[in-house]
Amino acid sequence: MDVQEKTLRKQDMGFSRKDYEFLTEIGLSSSNLGCFVNGTWKGSGPTISTVNPANNQKIAEVIEGSIQDYEEGMQACSEAAKIWMQVPAPKRGDIVRQIGDALRSKLLQLGRLVSLEMGKILPEGIGEVQEIIDMCDFAVGLSRQLNGSIIPSERPNHMMLEMWNPLGIVGVITAFNFPCAVLGWNACIALVCGNCVVWKGALTTPLVTIAMTKLVAGVLEKNNLPSAIFTSFCGGAEIGEAIAKDRRIHLVSFTGSSKVGLKVQQTVNERFGKCLLELSGNNAIIVMDDADIPLAVRSVLFAAVGTAGQRCTTCRRLLVHENVYQTVVDQLLAVYKQVKIGDPLEKGTLLGPLHTPTSRKNFEKGIEIIKSQGGKILTGGGIIESEGNFVQPTIVEISPNVDVVKEELFAPVLYVMKFKTLNEAIEINNSVPQGLSSSIFTRKPEYIFKWIGPQGSDTGIVNVNIPTNGAEIGGAFGGEKATGGGREAGSDSWKQYMRRSTCTINYGNELPLAQGINFG
């Protein structure tokens, strides 16, 4: 423990509320250093307070990092990368397995922290941490399957093969809505692929960043590995900009808005780095007239109300066939009335607060714009007067052609609209700039295969008879168009975290040239 950390510990007055004391079990205190640099906790940037969105009261203080802290961390990380990439991949997989075990031992505490600091309900908070554990398990198996290819050569006594090697350092910039799961999607894969990880956590969820880092750091220390294999920073835009500009970072994974993501991509492209973007979504569910309506209604409820509408995969548009439109809307209005709104840590709560007071103001502005563009509020549409950032879950009847429907309002607002044919519904689904997730409810094979085919949905996640959200880790996660085109988590997403070399080996004594060229 360094001098700065010892001083903070001595000055620690404890948490202001008894129900925050569980945070000590995951290494947190009322005042925390926000950077893990070369095995040391430090912070020479501003001191911020992190707050509980349910009451906007302070949880703890965090001292953020500075550019000086960043540079020190990157120098150590660059040296650690030389060591880590030489560790055999299955051995790297075993380290990630141990990280998964460390997360399992603190699953409930970490899940409770996610719920407390982000605002999502407790089952979702625990589920988010479980998702990282699942990613660790996936990555362990992957560490023995980073396979290249043997390619037949047209030249005698020649062999062609593909080699996959680590990039070196991967930068991960995550958002508040999934303050640790998105790290897991990236870091678990990056680590087994032989890369060091530099993580900038979300500005408003620094305690999650610190607690996660402490668990990872403990595993590295126990195995006598360089601590700089995993480096993390709590901080503002200047840290994110430094990551985007840094030529030592070969891949930058960014999760956030399309507007900021475009700037990150332009900055990284200027230095010919690689960029992995997970940006905005504007996801639709289509309900055909042959659908299982109760199943569809339950799915829409979870997709539209879960995480208070703050998932990138939240259902924002509901397209219903005119023959069943009123039935679906009536059933949906009935279940919305049963949604329990309140403290996300309380049992039975389905809708917690929005993450910040600014989010709540954006909800209010969004409702005014919706009304000005002809939207009819069927239920909700208002804020809930309280200390927290609570709003009413809202359903709006609106035209698919108005401007506001093309944008992502990060709140529990669902647009409902009618259609007559599947082709019309697909056209509406594809008419927005974003392309993350979509789903159709139908039992007809001809509808299903049209939907998932070349003339169907243009999103990266195309579902049938399930919600737009709640993706499994085994598939590649990501979207098209203004969602950024990146893919994380499962399938062959690992290839983005490595560099591919095509190798031709001549084991003979002659020099035949490809394409039959005779050169002298």
Side-chain angles (χ1 to χ4, degrees):
M1 190 182 299
D2 75 317
V3 175
Q4 191 179 12
E5 192 172 7
K6 285 180 180 177
T7 302
L8 272 187
R9 290 285 176 90
K10 286 179 181 178
Q11 295 173 348
D12 183 22
M13 302 297 291
F15 291 101
S16 59
R17 293 170 59 114
K18 190 176 176 66
D19 51 352
Y20 293 168
E21 289 178 1
F22 77 93
L23 297 173
T24 60
E25 299 174 37
I26 43 179
L28 299 172
S29 62
S30 62
S31 187
N32 304 272
L33 297 168
C35 301
F36 185 65
V37 170
N38 197 18
T40 300
W41 284 99
K42 59 171 49 186
S44 55
T47 299
I48 64 162
S49 294
T50 179
V51 299
N52 178 355
N55 56 27
N56 285 310
Q57 294 177 8
K58 184 173 81 170
I59 304 170
E61 291 183 345
V62 173
I63 303 174
E64 293 183 328
S66 65
I67 291 299
Q68 291 74 25
D69 296 326
Y70 172 82
E71 182 54 34
E72 182 182 340
M74 283 304 303
Q75 288 179 13
C77 191
S78 297
E79 291 303 310
K82 299 173 185 176
I83 298 170
W84 182 240
M85 66 173 56
Q86 296 183 68
V87 175
K91 296 292 185 184
R92 299 193 299 251
D94 186 60
I95 298 302
V96 173
R97 178 192 63 77
Q98 293 178 49
I99 293 171
D101 288 344
L103 289 166
R104 281 185 178 91
S105 71
K106 300 295 183 183
L107 172 62
L108 297 181
Q109 295 93 327
L110 285 168
R112 192 171 182 84
L113 169 59
V114 171
S115 180
L116 173 68
E117 192 173 34
M118 184 272 154
K120 62 180 64 177
I121 62 173
L122 184 57
E124 289 185 304
I126 293 171
E128 176 167 352
V129 181
Q130 182 62 50
E131 192 166 352
I132 313 173
I133 295 169
D134 294 344
M135 278 302 308
C136 288
D137 291 346
F138 178 86
V140 173
L142 179 64
S143 69
R144 294 181 182 271
Q145 297 176 336
L146 301 171
N147 304 327
S149 301
I150 303 294
I151 304 165
S153 173
E154 67 186 62
R155 291 171 279 188
N157 298 324
H158 282 58
M159 174 68 71
M160 290 179 66
L161 54 88
E162 285 184 342
M163 284 287 294
W164 291 91
N165 288 302
L167 292 174
I169 301 176
V170 171
V172 184
I173 303 173
T174 55
F176 75 86
N177 58 337
F178 281 87
C180 58
V182 176
L183 170 76
W185 297 349
N186 286 275
C188 295
I189 305 299
L191 288 170
V192 298
C193 287
N195 302 297
C196 291
V197 173
V198 175
W199 178 29
K200 179 199 172 299
L203 180 66
T204 50
T205 54
L207 298 183
V208 173
T209 304
I210 295 167
M212 279 293 302
T213 300
K214 290 200 171 190
L215 284 174
V216 176
V219 171
L220 294 174
E221 183 179 4
K222 187 173 70 174
N223 287 272
N224 296 312
L225 287 165
S227 298
I229 289 169
F230 191 90
T231 301
S232 73
F233 300 98
C234 298
E238 70 282 356
I239 301 293
E241 290 170 3
I243 289 173
K245 292 176 181 177
D246 200 327
R247 293 180 181 274
R248 293 167 293 189
I249 297 177
H250 301 84
L251 170 68
V252 176
S253 171
F254 173 83
T255 301
S257 70
S258 295
K259 181 179 178 181
V260 178
L262 181 60
K263 292 180 180 178
V264 171
Q265 184 179 50
Q266 290 168 341
T267 301
V268 175
N269 284 349
E270 283 176 0
R271 60 178 178 85
F272 296 103
K274 296 174 69 175
C275 213
L276 197 166
L277 301 175
E278 295 289 354
L279 310 176
S280 304
N282 192 348
N283 315 295
I285 288 178
I286 294 173
V287 181
M288 300 301 297
D289 56 356
D290 71 312
D292 180 333
I293 291 177
L295 178 67
V297 168
R298 291 201 307 274
S299 298
V300 171
L301 178 67
F302 173 59
V305 175
T307 324
Q310 296 171 112
R311 291 188 182 218
C312 50
T313 51
T314 291
C315 177
R316 309 207 179 276
R317 298 176 295 144
L318 176 61
L319 286 51
V320 186
H321 193 282
E322 61 182 2
N323 291 347
V324 294
Y325 180 83
Q326 202 56 52
T327 301
V328 170
V329 170
D330 288 345
Q331 290 193 23
L332 201 54
L333 289 170
V335 295
Y336 263 56
K337 290 177 182 176
Q338 299 170 26
V339 172
K340 181 183 175 184
I341 305 168
D343 188 335
L345 291 167
E346 286 185 5
K347 187 176 180 180
T349 299
L350 290 182
L351 180 62
L354 294 178
H355 186 55
T356 63
T358 301
S359 302
R360 189 165 75 157
K361 289 176 184 175
N362 289 340
F363 169 84
E364 290 182 282
K365 291 176 185 175
I367 294 297
E368 291 305 312
I369 294 170
I370 287 165
K371 290 177 179 176
S372 72
Q373 295 185 13
K376 179 184 176 184
I377 308 293
L378 301 183
T379 187
I383 64 169
I384 297 172
E385 294 297 338
S386 70
E387 292 180 325
N389 309 318
F390 295 95
V391 301
Q392 297 171 341
T394 301
I395 300 176
V396 179
E397 196 171 58
I398 198 167
S399 164
N401 301 317
V402 299
D403 290 342
V404 73
V405 173
K406 314 292 185 184
E407 301 166 0
E408 182 186 44
L409 178 58
F410 225 52
V413 177
L414 178 67
Y415 303 123
V416 294
M417 50 201 78
K418 293 180 189 176
F419 67 88
K420 293 182 179 181
T421 67
L422 176 58
N423 284 341
E424 181 190 358
I426 291 172
E427 185 178 344
I428 295 170
N429 176 77
N430 296 349
S431 66
V432 298
Q434 309 85 355
L436 179 53
S437 184
S438 58
S439 187
I440 192 171
F441 283 78
T442 182
R443 297 297 181 188
K444 292 184 177 180
E446 61 266 35
Y447 290 167
I448 293 171
F449 288 101
K450 174 71 177 288
W451 173 244
I452 66 174
Q455 292 184 307
S457 175
D458 66 358
T459 61
I461 299 169
V462 183
N463 293 334
V464 178
N465 295 326
I466 65 168
T468 50
N469 54 349
E472 298 179 33
I473 59 100
F477 182 95
E480 301 300 323
K481 302 188 297 187
T483 303
R487 293 296 187 275
E488 295 170 335
S491 186
D492 65 350
S493 299
W494 64 271
K495 292 179 179 179
Q496 296 170 106
Y497 301 86
M498 304 194 82
R499 59 177 177 85
R500 171 167 38 189
S501 302
T502 301
C503 309
T504 305
I505 301 169
N506 179 0
Y507 56 89
N509 298 317
E510 303 296 325
L511 191 64
L513 301 178
Q515 293 85 46
I517 294 173
N518 186 356
F519 191 75

